[in-house]
Amino acid sequence: MDDLHGFSFYRNPIQNIEPCRAITVVDVYRYLVGHYAKPQTDTLRSLTSPTEAKKYKATHFDYCTFSGLFRKRNEKELIQHSGLLCLDFDHVGNPDRFKEQLLKHDYFDTELMFTSPSGDGVKWIIPIDLKGWEHSRYFKAVANCIESTGLPPVDKSGSDVARSCFLPYDPQAYINPKYSEYVEENIFRPRMGECPF
């Protein structure tokens, strides 16, 4: 699992801080492009009240902690850093065009990228090598670098190593081509409506 960056996956609601299992970028990609979160994503995007939408998202979406494996979702319960950083961009206007910009970024490779549950933001997962740095310090350096290249500011909550990321339905999610053999591998096919893990 080392080459696939293992991290923790949690079932909804957000109050559940006990991970269900360890997953990889490939697992998340299969989840995103599958139909597992389609009903929740459609419902969320139909809500007009921000308060209602926030509550719905917190109670109906599974999530993961891209930056690490945890005993419980808490910085002090980190077992191992995954070597991944989740950068969250809110209200980008045109998510598809923005994704193209990120894919062409000079400094950072893309492991995974998808549209946020709300439909107007982008989640960008990049590989990092902490080299002894604290997660929060490394995050700030990356965020400053991104802003200096003219991109919108990154949501600062990503500086928390235990930051949760809700998983929506996104049939157009991008995964790095280096994972293609894993993506195409189909050891078993879950029944219709079943999560693959």
Side-chain angles (χ1 to χ4, degrees):
M1 188 184 284
D2 289 345
D3 62 327
L4 291 174
H5 303 283
F7 47 88
S8 295
F9 171 79
Y10 307 74
R11 295 287 183 204
N12 65 71
I14 193 66
Q15 291 81 7
N16 173 28
I17 61 169
E18 301 272 351
C20 171
R21 62 162 284 185
I23 61 172
T24 68
V25 166
V26 174
D27 294 319
V28 172
Y29 175 76
R30 287 177 173 159
Y31 186 98
L32 296 169
V33 301
H35 49 269
Y36 315 107
K38 189 175 190 311
Q40 304 93 292
T41 304
D42 290 344
T43 299
L44 178 69
R45 293 177 184 176
S46 71
L47 299 174
T48 54
S49 161
T51 306
E52 267 186 64
K54 186 176 180 181
K55 185 177 178 183
Y56 184 86
K57 185 167 60 172
T59 55
H60 290 80
F61 282 81
D62 295 331
Y63 68 97
C64 65
T65 47
F66 277 111
S67 288
L69 286 167
F70 293 84
R71 288 180 193 86
K72 291 183 180 177
R73 184 173 51 86
N74 180 302
E75 181 181 2
K76 293 177 182 173
E77 298 287 342
L78 177 68
I79 298 168
Q80 182 178 355
H81 200 284
S82 65
L84 295 174
L85 197 60
C86 178
L87 301 168
D88 187 3
F89 298 89
D90 297 318
H91 316 296
V92 296
N94 184 331
D96 291 333
R97 188 179 306 142
F98 186 65
K99 286 179 189 177
E100 289 300 320
Q101 280 183 276
L102 295 178
L103 286 172
K104 294 174 185 169
H105 201 281
D106 290 335
Y107 305 126
F108 304 109
D109 291 328
T110 302
E111 294 288 291
L112 185 69
M113 188 187 309
F114 56 97
T115 302
S116 63
S118 65
D120 68 349
V122 170
K123 310 284 187 182
W124 188 27
I125 318 306
I126 64 169
I128 60 171
D129 183 356
L130 292 176
K131 293 181 181 171
W133 283 36
E134 289 179 0
H135 174 92
S136 58
R137 190 172 167 215
Y138 201 103
F139 174 88
K140 286 172 190 166
V142 170
N144 289 338
C145 177
I146 286 168
E147 287 181 45
S148 73
T149 60
L151 292 170
V154 177
D155 185 331
K156 300 294 189 267
S157 61
S159 65
D160 177 4
V161 69
R163 175 68 177 170
S164 57
C165 179
F166 293 111
L167 301 176
Y169 170 65
D170 182 3
Q172 304 304 316
Y174 172 90
I175 188 168
N176 192 304
K178 71 182 180 182
Y179 295 116
S180 60
E181 72 175 85
Y182 295 106
V183 170
E184 289 161 14
E185 190 177 67
N186 188 14
I187 297 168
F188 74 98
R189 183 176 293 280
R191 286 180 296 175
M192 192 68 165
E194 262 188 14
C195 176
F197 42 86

